[in-house]
Amino acid sequence: MAIYLKIALRNIWRNKGRSLITLSAIVFGYISIVVAGGFIEDVFYQMRESYIHSFLGHIQVSKKGFYEKGASRPFEFMIDHPRRMMERILNLPHVRSVTPRLEFAGLLSNGENTISFMGQGVDPEGEKRVSSFLTIEDGRSLEPGDRYAVILGRGLAKAMGVRPGDPLIILTNTVDGAINGMDVEVKGVFYTSSKAFDDRTLRMPIETAQKLLQTEKVQTLVILLDDTRNTDLVLHQLRSWFRQEDLPLEARPWYNMADFYNKTVTLFNRQFFVLKLIIAIIVVLSIFNTMNMAVLERIGEIGTIRALGTKRRGVVMLFLAEGVIMGLIGGVAGAIAGYGSARLISYFGIPMPPPPGATIEWVATIRVVPEVFLFAFSLSLITALISSVYPAYKASRLKISEALRHNV
Amino acid sequence: MPRIVEAQGLYKIFHLGKTQVEALVDITFHVEKGEFLALVGPSGSGKSTLLNLIGCIEPPTRGTIHLDGIDITNLDDNSLSTIRAERIGFVFQNFNLLPVLTAYENIEYPLHIRGMPKREREERVKALLDAVGLARFANHRPAELSGGQRQRVAIARALAGSPSIVLADEPTANLDHATGREVLKLMKGLNRTYGTTFIFSTHDPQIMSFADRVVELRDGRIAS
Ligand SMILES: Nc1ncnc2c1ncn2[C@@H]1O[C@H](COP(=O)(O)OP(=O)(O)OP(=O)(O)O)[C@@H](O)[C@H]1O
Ligand SMILES: [Mg+2]
């Protein structure tokens, strides 16, 4: 075996020019996959973190049935004793914060205009961590201790024609169905990456919302973890806990709620697959061509080593070794070049238009994802192997007497 | 003495489209162990074809061949490869050294195939380089050697695996007369020293004269 490796290596070296072209193809394929894959990963990452931190959190806990039927009867599915639940959840490993939410719909009036809105009763302190993509553009955010205060989405504030300091009147149904009204003061105006959200959302301290709705309960507890990768771990802990204590609660991970994210991932992955396929074909064809030429110009040598007693298997190994070494060198060179390209492109950044339904432009980078590198590396190796199989087989099947005649 | 080659009623027929070429017709001949035998005859008389049959490179169309007591007529490719590796040495008209290997490594190659351990390989290759007088050129690639030197490396390579027989198809055809004679002297010396059987083909009467026995082919038949 060692002798075949030695001969294969020297033959690669013997045809430096051609080997270099083949290696370039592998490196080019590698870079394409690493850059495209790293870019897609970054889009996924930024989108996912944006969703999680702007409002989803990593996991949301609510009363069983809230997600299916909560939209039409929001007050029938509320969590009792939210404070006690929050304390217990906070004690779980990987949990960084838990914050309550109470959502309701209502009408907003400034005396002239009346507009419907989506209200969120939130804990200003806890919400800071799951609303980091919510940016205040005017006034200030909600602060702990605020009462009868609201902040409005950019679109909603514009529609109402209000600025921080202006008064507003809120009308809504209490949990019992009675009508309640309240005077509030606009503290700030915010925007997020979602225009639809900014057009109809307002936020107020959860105590104020509870007073308005005349309840002690909340609808959801939004859990933020130390790392998105721990979502499933904590999710399972929560679910088995609810099951064991027979609590009428359910836990949902962010990815079950981020519909647009999931669709984007599917679409991008499909496009990425096509790209990978195209690159694999380019690499296969280029190595195939090289190996075929190598066999053709070495027919005489094949005849010689066969005459000397090399078995067909040996000839196959000789050419497979050549292909695999090529794939290996290409893989290593590609990894280095891919890493370099990823860092270089990331250094400058790729300006991106706002995603659908959002307002903020952002800058994508190329993530250095070990999985993508591993994939590209195995791809160069496997394609090198696959594309050497036929030429190697062909070489091993040459008629010795005819092959020998090629020695001149 | 047992015979190293026993060929019985050998035919080799090539099909070229619709025409048939009878390269060998009813060849029956024997080679004794240790012989230094010349195969002669005009171009196209079947010398290379006969050497290919004896060398387990092509099967005969008809007839049987025994090599070293083994019936090689109907063996599969793997068994034939093993016989070539273990019992036959080849010397070619064009030397056929592997260009990417040094003289040393070329001689070592058949030993790799035979799975000889490194230490033994080293000893053997060094002894052979000495025997063909090329110790100084161990690390030269074929491209850096003269024709005569290349053919000596090839002879050392043919002898590396301690074969029972060495087949040399026109080993001197690409060498000048003086070098050709040197090469033949070397082969004969090795034949005398190690008792290895040699069959070589040639056109050259001077080269023939080295042989213990001359077998002449004409139109695929044995003429003498
Ligand atoms: N593969 C083949 N296909 C068709 N005909 C062949 C083949 N090999 C040899 N022949 C024919 O068989 C005959 C014998 O050829 P061979 O090469 O054995 O002759 P030779 O004695 O070695 O000649 P030379 O001295 O020129 O080397 C020739 O007529 C040749 O054309
Ligand atoms: Mg010939």
Side-chain angles (χ1 to χ4, degrees):
Chain A
M1 193 59 223
I3 182 71
Y4 298 133
L5 282 178
K6 188 199 279 183
I7 296 177
L9 228 113
R10 295 209 187 151
N11 275 322
I12 290 173
W13 184 246
R14 164 155 69 149
N15 275 295
K16 286 183 214 72
R18 195 173 63 205
S19 302
L20 217 62
I21 291 170
T22 313
L23 289 177
S24 310
I26 300 176
V27 169
F28 163 78
Y30 205 120
I31 293 177
S32 314
I33 286 176
V34 163
V35 167
F39 169 70
I40 289 170
E41 269 308 313
D42 190 65
V43 170
F44 290 173
Y45 174 84
Q46 297 214 28
M47 243 177 121
R48 157 170 96 218
E49 296 303 313
S50 147
Y51 275 106
I52 288 165
H53 290 276
S54 66
F55 46 95
L56 285 180
H58 286 107
I59 298 172
Q60 293 189 6
V61 171
S62 56
K63 187 96 161 209
K64 254 188 195 137
F66 175 75
Y67 284 106
E68 287 90 65
K69 294 167 251 172
S72 53
R73 291 171 289 162
F75 303 136
E76 277 182 34
F77 303 97
M78 307 261 275
I79 299 172
D80 308 309
H81 316 298
R83 288 283 146 208
R84 215 163 54 204
M85 284 303 302
M86 283 166 65
E87 272 162 31
R88 291 189 62 183
I89 292 171
L90 238 134
N91 282 331
L92 291 175
H94 301 300
V95 172
R96 251 180 41 194
S97 71
V98 188
T99 185
R101 273 183 199 159
L102 182 51
E103 296 202 3
F104 57 97
L107 294 172
L108 196 57
S109 173
N110 58 5
E112 296 166 27
N113 296 332
T114 303
I115 289 180
S116 68
F117 67 88
M118 270 300 306
Q120 296 185 332
V122 297
D123 170 32
E125 187 59 37
E127 203 67 31
K128 276 180 188 159
R129 298 193 173 106
V130 269
S131 298
S132 56
F133 274 58
L134 181 148
T135 314
I136 296 293
E137 69 173 3
D138 199 6
R140 64 165 174 83
S141 188
L142 293 173
E143 301 273 326
D146 275 351
R147 292 284 179 273
Y148 307 108
V150 293
I151 55 173
L152 306 182
R154 177 195 265 171
L156 190 58
K158 203 168 180 187
M160 291 305 298
V162 289
R163 302 201 50 244
D166 289 350
L168 279 172
I169 302 159
I170 287 177
L171 275 178
T172 186
N173 288 103
T174 68
V175 291
D176 300 321
I179 290 187
N180 198 4
M182 186 182 269
D183 290 312
V184 293
E185 186 192 333
V186 177
K187 292 289 185 195
V189 176
F190 65 81
Y191 66 89
T192 69
S193 59
S194 165
K195 188 171 177 301
F197 186 80
D198 299 346
D199 280 349
R200 58 194 182 95
T201 310
L202 68 76
R203 285 188 158 185
M204 63 171 65
I206 191 147
E207 294 85 356
T208 305
Q210 284 173 327
K211 192 170 237 172
L212 183 67
L213 301 172
Q214 293 172 357
T215 181
E216 304 268 273
K217 303 175 183 179
V218 303
Q219 282 157 331
T220 40
L221 298 177
V222 180
I223 302 171
L224 195 72
L225 306 176
D226 51 0
D227 192 319
T228 306
R229 281 173 294 194
N230 293 324
T231 304
D232 284 340
L233 184 78
V234 178
L235 188 68
H236 285 125
Q237 283 176 335
L238 283 170
R239 283 178 175 164
S240 59
W241 167 26
F242 296 160
R243 212 176 311 117
Q244 269 164 25
E245 298 192 11
D246 207 19
L247 295 171
L249 296 175
E250 61 187 1
R252 291 195 122 208
W254 61 271
Y255 51 79
N256 281 1
M257 301 180 282
D259 203 35
F260 181 71
Y261 170 81
N262 291 329
K263 282 181 182 145
T264 310
V265 167
T266 313
L267 177 73
F268 271 41
N269 275 338
R270 207 167 294 159
Q271 292 178 344
F272 190 35
F273 174 78
V274 173
L275 180 78
K276 286 192 276 196
L277 201 68
I278 293 170
I279 288 168
I281 290 170
I282 292 173
V283 175
V284 164
L285 288 180
S286 121
I287 301 177
F288 180 83
N289 180 50
T290 302
M291 294 308 295
N292 239 346
M293 279 161 69
V295 169
L296 281 181
E297 70 195 22
R298 263 182 256 148
I299 290 179
E301 287 169 44
I302 297 163
T304 304
I305 63 168
R306 289 282 282 135
L308 296 182
T310 308
K311 296 190 172 148
R312 282 185 176 143
R313 191 154 34 91
V315 175
V316 168
M317 285 212 284
L318 184 63
F319 283 93
L320 285 192
E322 201 167 320
V324 169
I325 291 171
M326 207 91 97
L328 217 78
I329 298 174
V332 172
I336 295 165
Y339 183 79
S341 318
R343 296 309 296 261
L344 189 73
I345 297 171
S346 297
Y347 177 77
F348 293 105
I350 308 162
M352 298 290 290
T359 50
I360 310 164
E361 293 186 359
W362 53 291
V363 176
T365 61
I366 307 297
R367 280 193 168 255
V368 175
V369 190
E371 286 85 358
V372 173
F373 274 75
L374 207 69
F375 174 84
F377 192 79
S378 7
L379 189 76
S380 23
L381 256 188
I382 291 168
T383 47
L385 188 65
I386 289 175
S387 33
S388 314
V389 166
Y390 178 72
Y393 174 81
K394 207 173 62 177
S396 77
R397 290 276 145 181
L398 288 173
K399 252 187 103 180
I400 303 171
S401 54
E402 274 163 30
L404 280 172
R405 266 198 285 278
H406 282 75
N407 287 298
V408 270
Chain B
M1 270 244 284
R3 284 162 172 168
I4 184 104
V5 179
E6 281 206 47
Q8 205 71 45
L10 283 187
Y11 282 79
K12 185 68 185 180
I13 296 162
F14 292 105
H15 297 269
L16 279 175
K18 280 195 176 134
T19 59
Q20 286 192 351
V21 182
E22 294 187 317
L24 294 175
V25 182
D26 197 18
I27 300 272
T28 298
F29 93 126
H30 315 292
V31 182
E32 307 291 335
K33 247 186 194 158
E35 264 194 288
F36 198 71
L37 183 127
L39 207 53
V40 303
S43 183
S45 58
K47 303 182 294 292
S48 297
T49 307
L50 183 56
L51 286 172
N52 281 348
L53 298 197
I54 298 169
C56 300
I57 280 175
E58 276 183 305
T61 311
R62 234 186 308 150
T64 56
I65 313 177
H66 285 77
L67 187 84
D68 233 0
I70 305 165
D71 185 351
I72 58 162
T73 324
N74 290 310
L75 293 179
D76 64 14
D77 187 84
N78 259 345
S79 315
L80 291 174
S81 300
T82 305
I83 291 175
R84 286 197 302 272
E86 292 179 354
R87 296 168 195 269
I88 308 173
F90 286 93
V91 177
F92 304 94
Q93 179 178 340
N94 297 301
F95 325 129
N96 293 18
L97 299 176
L98 294 187
V100 293
L101 299 183
T102 62
Y104 181 100
E105 291 162 337
N106 264 291
I107 299 170
E108 195 186 20
Y109 184 86
L111 304 178
H112 273 292
I113 299 179
R114 297 186 60 164
M116 190 183 276
K118 187 173 164 59
R119 179 84 56 81
E120 287 175 50
R121 286 202 311 262
E122 216 174 286
E123 252 170 54
R124 181 106 189 104
V125 175
K126 281 190 173 145
L128 283 160
L129 274 167
D130 279 335
V132 298
L134 287 175
R136 285 197 306 127
F137 298 89
N139 293 319
H140 286 231
R141 297 261 177 113
E144 300 156 356
L145 297 172
S146 73
Q149 288 171 326
R150 285 183 218 181
Q151 199 60 306
R152 286 179 205 214
V153 174
I155 291 166
R157 177 177 69 178
L159 284 166
S162 309
S164 324
I165 187 167
V166 172
L167 304 174
D169 195 2
E170 308 205 26
T172 60
N174 276 332
L175 301 172
D176 59 59
H177 278 281
T179 316
R181 269 205 309 280
E182 287 300 311
V183 163
L184 249 289
K185 261 186 211 156
L186 173 66
M187 282 175 31
K188 187 147 187 178
L190 294 166
N191 161 264
R192 292 293 185 255
T193 315
Y194 300 108
T196 313
T197 314
F198 277 77
I199 306 180
F200 63 95
S201 68
T202 184
H203 288 290
D204 186 339
Q206 276 204 357
I207 296 297
M208 282 173 223
S209 63
F210 282 92
D212 301 334
R213 176 158 72 103
V214 175
V215 171
E216 193 184 345
L217 289 179
R218 202 164 292 153
D219 294 334
R221 294 161 210 267
I222 289 182
S224 66

